[in-house]
Amino acid sequence: MRAAIRPLLGFCLLVAAACAGVPPPSPVGAQAVSLEIRSHPLVLKLDEPAQRRVGQLIWRGGISMTANSPNFGGWSDIHVSPDGKALNSISDEGSWLTATVDYDADGNLAGLSNGRIGSLRGLDGTPLENKVTSAAEGMARLPDGSWLVAFERKHRFWRYPTLDATPTPIEGPADLGQQPNNGGVEAVTALADGRIIAISEEYVVNPGMLRGWIGQPTGGDRYSWQTFDYAKTPDFNPTALVQLPDGSLCLLERAFDMARGVRVRVMQFDAADVRPGGMVRARELAWLISPYAVDNLEGLAAAKGARGETVLWLISDDNFNPMQRNILLMFELEK
């Protein structure tokens, strides 16, 4: 028994050391650079490689990714264009990524090509340079084509005309700054009518509930904000939010501890449930835990596939930790 425990203890200590000891990369700089993204195919379940389904999700392929840039990693949210061809992502170290999504003959995920990486900029137009200001955790495509980016640590919302442009600030909810330092908004999306829906990762006002906000556009970069509650699952916290083609909302919830590793729940709830003063209780679509393909999944995107099916993409934040991976997963939502 002692011999069995020793490797597990060593692994846990190695993970802890890696998490604490990996310095953040320097910013990409003022100019974006091209990327060679190398993809390694994944199976849905390591001990059953032929398995094609988990919960209500159908496997459409997955990849583990590396690239020829020290800034490639930390991917905290994702957006895929409605035609499924263009991928955009942001890193919590202040980078942005664009790439073309490649598919195999069956329309399943095969890799990424035509990659480019650059630095998110601050209000003065210069690249963000330190973790306090560069922790970009959530992104949403606004109806006019610009990007809403949610930052934590220094909690705020900024609007980027393009990801390589100079942003403008959006005045957020009055209590946005009351969130825990490393527990701010990661789950954020924009609805077709321009409303912003955001859920805090850790900010609790009412017991057992996470604080959510509804931002109603009032002109320009101004919004009026109202609150709702999201029923928290013990140990889990929301990391991404997106509206599905049918109008409902899909959310990732993540949990982690040394004994059980990373667990991720894919959740769904009706948009009508998001109302001022209301309470949202989501239903589970799927549960991902090893030996299923899983890592620190933080980003979520959705679109319609070529056959009219609803397709989900999930991306992970490797924390620039050699013990973790950058993975991209593609699923089809069961009808």
Side-chain angles (χ1 to χ4, degrees), residues 312-331:
L312 300 177
W313 291 267
L314 286 66
I315 199 168
S316 72
D317 173 359
D318 70 341
N319 293 307
F320 294 94
N321 178 346
M323 298 296 296
Q324 296 178 254
R325 301 171 297 169
N326 296 299
I327 66 173
L328 179 64
L329 311 179
M330 179 180 174
F331 292 98

Side-chain angles (χ1 to χ4, degrees), residues 23-311:
S26 299
V28 176
Q31 300 298 321
V33 296
S34 297
L35 282 178
E36 178 190 348
I37 301 174
R38 298 175 289 271
S39 300
H40 176 76
L42 301 175
V43 296
L44 174 59
K45 196 165 186 275
L46 280 175
D47 57 348
E48 298 181 53
Q51 185 157 329
R52 307 292 300 175
R53 181 185 298 268
V54 55
Q56 294 178 240
L57 301 183
I58 302 167
W59 181 244
R60 295 287 302 274
I63 54 175
S64 176
M65 305 172 292
T66 59
N68 59 332
S69 168
N71 299 93
F72 187 85
W75 305 118
S76 54
D77 211 350
I78 187 177
H79 178 273
V80 176
S81 59
D83 62 6
K85 295 180 179 179
L87 177 147
N88 292 269
S89 188
I90 54 171
S91 166
D92 59 11
E93 293 291 346
S95 298
W96 55 260
L97 167 71
T98 64
T100 300
V101 184
D102 298 324
Y103 300 91
D104 64 17
D106 296 320
N108 298 324
L109 177 64
L112 297 179
S113 58
N114 302 316
R116 289 182 64 79
I117 191 170
S119 291
L120 290 170
R121 299 177 184 271
L123 301 179
D124 62 358
T126 63
L128 298 174
E129 292 188 350
N130 65 75
K131 187 66 174 180
V132 174
T133 59
S134 66
E137 293 288 357
M139 70 187 303
R141 195 76 185 261
L142 296 172
D144 66 358
S146 62
W147 299 95
L148 174 76
V149 176
F151 294 84
E152 64 179 14
R153 299 181 187 267
K154 187 177 180 180
H155 303 294
R156 65 201 188 277
F157 296 135
W158 283 355
R159 185 181 70 82
Y160 286 82
T162 59
L163 289 176
D164 59 352
T166 300
T168 55
I170 289 176
E171 185 175 355
D175 57 347
L176 193 69
Q178 296 180 25
Q179 299 177 101
N181 180 56
N182 197 32
V185 171
E186 297 195 11
V188 62
T189 194
L191 308 186
D193 61 10
R195 284 181 296 160
I196 295 171
I197 309 298
I199 303 174
S200 179
E201 184 184 10
E202 295 182 4
Y203 180 37
V204 174
V205 177
N206 297 315
M209 303 287 173
L210 293 168
R211 172 51 52 94
W213 295 276
I214 307 164
Q216 181 70 44
T218 59
D221 289 324
R222 297 182 299 276
Y223 291 79
S224 64
W225 295 94
Q226 295 175 297
T227 65
F228 67 95
D229 283 325
Y230 180 82
K232 175 175 167 56
T233 305
D235 297 331
F236 284 80
N237 295 91
T239 64
L241 180 67
V242 70
Q243 189 168 35
L244 300 182
D246 68 0
S248 65
L249 294 164
C250 188
L251 180 139
L252 291 186
E253 294 182 347
R254 176 198 56 204
F256 172 78
D257 58 57
M258 286 294 188
R260 292 171 289 180
V262 178
R263 291 97 67 204
V264 172
R265 285 162 34 111
V266 184
M267 311 295 288
Q268 185 180 21
F269 57 92
D270 296 332
D273 293 342
V274 182
R275 56 187 186 278
M279 188 271 286
V280 171
R281 190 178 298 277
R283 54 192 177 273
E284 183 181 296
L285 296 176
W287 174 291
L288 294 171
I289 186 171
S290 181
Y292 285 94
V294 70
D295 210 288
N296 183 33
L297 294 166
E298 288 200 1
L300 177 66
K304 279 191 175 182
R307 304 188 307 274
E309 75 276 27
T310 296
V311 177

